[in-house]
Amino acid sequence: MHTTAKLVTFLSIGLLLVGLPAHDLSACTSIMVGKKASTDGSVMTSHTCDSHRTGSDIHVVPRKMHPEGSERTVATRVEDNDGPMERYGHEPVGTIPQVGEIHGYLAPAYAAMNEHQLAIGESTFGGREELRNQEGLIDCETLTRLMVERARTAREAIRVGGELIERYGWWDEGEALTIADGEEVWVMEIVGPGKDNPPGAVWAAQRVPDDHVSVVANSSRIGEIDLDNPDFFTASANVFEVAQQLGYWHPASGQPFKFYEAYNPTGNVSFGSSRRVWRVLDLLAPSLGLHGNANVFPFSVKPEQPVGPEKIMELFRDTYEDTDYDMVKHITVTDEDGKTVRSPLANPFMPYDMNPLFDINGGWGWRGERPMARWYCMYATVTQSRSWLPDPVGGIVWFAYGNPAMTTYVPLYAGITGVPESYETDGRTTGFSRKAAWWAFNRVATLAAQRWGDMRHDVAEVRDPLQERLLTSQAEIAEKAKALLAEDPEKAHAYLTEISQKACVEVTDAYWDLGDLLWTKYDEKW
C-alpha cells in the first residue's frame, strides 16, 4: 500500500473512532441524475431512508386551502421507546404562518414529491456538533414538507426553504437535500448557525449539470461556491461570515472557501462515506479511474452510459461484492470439488455482534464496510420528474420497502389520490403484522440474509420479473393517462391511483408468499 493510501486509511478509521458519530455514516444515501444524463430525459433524485426508527407509513396529502391568518404547527422527531419497537415520535415545537394554499404531495417520513413533480431526497452529514442550535423550530423532515407544500420548482424550493430556516431557525444537524424538478436537480446543504448565535441557518446549494450525475452519502459534497454564477450556486448571506466568526475559514490564508471543509471537515475522510461516493461515480464513469481509497471526489461526473431508474435501483443493491472492499469475501468453505468458495452463509447484512466472529474490520472500523444496501433501510425512493408529460403522470416516485438489495419498487404517480391501507400503516407502531406492508419486505430481508448465498436467487426470481414488468409498462400507462387527462382529469387521477394501488398490492402479496417460501424451503438449512 502506498504511503498516501496508508495515511488516508489511518485518518479515516481514527476519526471514525474518536470524533465522528456512528449515525452520521449509517444514515441515508441519495443519487441524482440530470435530464441529459438520463435514458429518457427524466430528472431524478433518490433516497435510501436508512433508519429503522423511522415509520413505514406513507400518505397522500391533498391540496388544501387555508383561511387568512392560519398557523401551521411544526414538530420535531423524538425517540419513542414505549411501543413494541423503537421508533420516532413527533413533538410540536411551535407554529409558523400558514400559506393560503398548499400543494398536494406524497409523504413518507420525508416528503418525496408534490403534484408539480417537485421531488426531494435526503442524506444526513452531521457536521460540527457546536453548530447545532436547538432553539430553532424546523428539522429536516419538516423542511421537506414545507418545501413541497409551498414550491413548484427546485429553485423555488431552495429559496422558500432557505427563507424559512433563516427566519424560524434550523433545529437539526447537518443535512443535504437533493431537490429535483422536470428541468434540473440541486444539492442543498444546511447546518445550524452555532449554539451561541441566534436561531437561524447556514446553507449552500449547487446544481448538478444537466449531463452529469452526483451522489451524497453522509458527507457534505459542496466545495467552492461561485455566487456570481446563480445558475449553479446560491447560499445564505452568512455562509462565509459564520465560518470566519467560528474560526473555520481564514481568508488571509489565501485558501479558497469550501463549504465541506468549513462545516463538515471530517466527512470526507471516513471510508464509511467516501467509499459510497466512489462506488457510484466509478460504476457510472469507470474510465475516470477513481480509487476507493481516495477521500475527495468530483461533485458530479458525466456518466458513460445514460442512467435510468433501474440503474439507481441496481446501485442501491450494491454491497461492494467482488471488490477489495467486500467485507465477507473471506468467509469461505471448501466445495465438493475441493475448491475454496464463498460460504452460502456469508452475509453482508449480518448483525454487528457477528462481526468479531469472523474478524470483520474495514473502512467502517469494526462494523466492516458501509455500502449502499443496508438491512436497516426503512424505505427507498427513486423519483422521475418528466417535464414532457402532464404533472399527474409525469412525476413518479418509485417506492420500495426494506433492504434495497432485496426489494421491489412500485410506481406512485404524482396524481394519485391514495395508497392502500397497508402502506398507510406504520409497521414500527404495530409490531409484526400483516396489516403493514413493510413487514412483508422486512421479513424477506431478515430471512434471506441468513443464507444469502442461496436465498438471494429465490429473491431475484421474484424481484426481477416484477420490477421489469413495472418499468416496461410505463410508456403505455403514460399514453393512456395523457388521453384521460385531456378528456376527464378526474378519471385520469382515478386511473393512476388504480394502477399504483394494484402494483402495491401485487408486489406486497408476492413478498408475503416469498417469505413463506423461504421459511419452508430452508427450514432445515439455517
Side-chain angles (χ1 to χ4, degrees):
M1 182 184 290
H2 294 301
T3 302
T4 302
K6 288 181 180 179
L7 178 60
V8 170
T9 302
F10 172 78
L11 287 173
S12 298
I13 296 175
L15 283 166
L16 170 66
L17 294 176
V18 303
L20 196 60
H23 71 273
D24 290 342
L25 300 178
S26 65
C28 316
T29 306
S30 180
I31 299 169
M32 298 142 278
V33 181
K35 63 181 180 180
K36 293 181 180 178
S38 68
T39 52
D40 63 354
S42 298
V43 180
M44 291 182 278
T45 189
S46 57
H47 179 201
T48 60
C49 186
D50 296 339
S51 164
H52 252 195
R53 277 190 178 269
T54 300
S56 70
D57 50 320
I58 177 171
H59 304 272
V60 177
V61 179
R63 184 191 313 166
K64 189 175 182 180
M65 300 295 298
H66 297 96
E68 187 176 350
S70 296
E71 295 286 312
R72 188 200 191 281
T73 299
V74 291
T76 190
R77 63 190 180 280
V78 294
E79 293 187 355
D80 180 357
N81 301 323
D82 292 335
M85 307 182 78
E86 293 180 348
R87 60 184 300 274
Y88 282 129
H90 295 85
E91 289 184 355
V93 291
T95 61
I96 63 174
Q98 182 61 279
V99 293
E101 180 183 28
I102 65 167
H103 308 308
Y105 59 99
L106 292 164
Y110 298 85
M113 177 180 281
N114 74 8
E115 60 183 306
H116 303 292
Q117 304 194 54
L118 173 64
I120 300 181
E122 179 270 346
S123 181
T124 303
F125 63 82
R128 298 177 184 267
E129 180 63 29
E130 68 268 20
L131 286 170
R132 192 167 184 181
N133 186 319
Q134 294 185 287
E135 294 181 16
L137 295 183
I138 298 175
D139 70 2
C140 191
E141 289 184 17
T142 298
L143 183 60
T144 63
R145 292 173 181 249
L146 289 169
M147 284 176 162
V148 297
E149 287 175 0
R150 301 179 180 211
R152 293 172 178 257
T153 68
R155 295 192 192 203
E156 186 181 13
I158 293 167
R159 178 184 61 78
V160 168
E163 290 173 354
L164 287 168
I165 57 179
E166 288 174 31
R167 180 173 181 181
Y168 298 106
W170 179 248
W171 172 91
D172 228 327
E173 56 191 327
E175 291 280 359
L177 299 181
T178 58
I179 307 168
D181 58 28
E183 297 298 328
E184 56 193 25
V185 60
W186 291 69
V187 178
M188 180 182 187
E189 297 183 349
I190 309 164
V191 295
K195 291 179 179 179
D196 298 325
N197 286 328
V202 179
W203 60 271
Q206 182 172 350
R207 177 182 165 192
V208 178
D210 292 344
D211 59 349
H212 276 215
V213 297
S214 187
V215 57
V216 183
N218 305 138
S219 63
S220 170
R221 299 277 285 123
I222 297 176
E224 294 186 46
I225 303 168
D226 181 5
L227 296 181
D228 292 327
N229 186 2
D231 276 344
F232 282 89
F233 296 93
T234 184
S236 58
N238 63 353
V239 67
F240 305 117
E241 175 190 345
V242 171
Q244 290 180 254
Q245 174 197 353
L246 299 178
Y248 304 155
W249 176 55
H250 303 281
S253 70
Q255 295 298 313
F257 174 87
K258 294 181 181 179
F259 190 93
Y260 63 74
E261 286 186 354
Y263 295 114
N264 184 214
T266 61
N268 289 330
V269 295
S270 170
F271 289 142
S273 169
S274 64
R275 216 160 257 168
R276 274 177 286 158
V277 174
W278 160 76
R279 186 63 165 158
V280 171
L281 301 184
D282 184 61
L283 286 171
L284 296 180
S287 66
L288 294 178
L290 302 176
H291 198 286
N293 281 339
N295 67 341
V296 177
F297 297 96
F299 173 76
S300 63
V301 302
K302 186 174 182 177
E304 293 171 19
Q305 298 294 329
V307 178
E310 70 283 353
K311 185 62 178 180
I312 300 180
M313 297 171 190
E314 177 188 325
L315 291 169
F316 280 165
R317 289 197 289 270
D318 190 75
T319 60
Y320 302 137
E321 188 170 356
D322 298 326
T323 74
D324 291 340
Y325 316 115
D326 182 346
M327 70 178 188
V328 296
K329 63 181 179 293
H330 296 305
I331 302 178
T332 59
V333 294
T334 302
D335 68 10
E336 295 177 353
D337 298 323
K339 296 181 180 178
T340 300
V341 297
R342 183 188 299 254
S343 168
L345 301 180
N347 166 19
F349 313 112
M350 68 178 69
Y352 296 139
D353 289 347
M354 290 182 65
N355 288 0
L357 297 177
F358 299 101
D359 197 25
I360 297 295
N361 197 44
W364 203 13
W366 59 267
R367 294 176 180 85
E369 297 289 343
R370 199 316 190 184
M372 251 81 71
R374 299 305 293 149
W375 59 267
Y376 48 78
C377 179
M378 200 68 196
Y379 67 84
T381 60
V382 178
T383 70
Q384 288 183 272
S385 299
R386 304 180 291 178
S387 61
W388 67 94
L389 289 169
D391 289 337
V393 65
I396 304 178
V397 176
W398 291 97
F399 183 85
Y401 280 128
N403 188 332
M406 310 184 199
T407 194
T408 300
Y409 296 74
V410 296
L412 304 179
Y413 301 93
I416 65 175
T417 58
V419 295
E421 185 179 353
S422 63
Y423 278 64
E424 294 181 323
T425 302
D426 179 13
R428 303 290 295 183
T429 299
T430 62
F432 181 79
S433 171
R434 287 183 178 260
K435 294 180 180 180
W438 173 70
W439 274 108
F441 302 87
N442 189 52
R443 183 179 68 142
V444 164
T446 301
L447 293 174
Q450 307 310 308
R451 196 177 181 90
W452 180 234
D454 293 333
M455 294 192 193
R456 63 190 301 170
H457 305 295
D458 300 278
V459 171
E461 285 179 7
V462 172
R463 177 196 65 211
D464 294 350
L466 277 173
Q467 196 66 76
E468 176 68 18
R469 182 158 49 81
L470 291 170
L471 286 162
T472 56
S473 67
Q474 293 312 304
E476 180 182 346
I477 292 168
E479 287 304 309
K480 183 171 181 179
K482 276 176 62 179
L484 283 172
L485 283 162
E487 298 170 8
D488 187 338
E490 188 173 331
K491 286 185 178 179
H493 286 271
Y495 168 68
L496 291 170
T497 301
E498 179 185 3
I499 291 293
S500 287
Q501 292 197 359
K502 181 180 178 181
C504 290
V505 171
E506 179 185 13
V507 170
T508 303
D509 286 348
Y511 272 72
W512 281 122
D513 291 343
L514 175 57
D516 292 345
L517 170 69
L518 296 177
W519 270 125
T520 303
K521 183 175 179 179
Y522 296 95
D523 180 58
E524 297 177 356
K525 295 182 179 180
W526 300 109

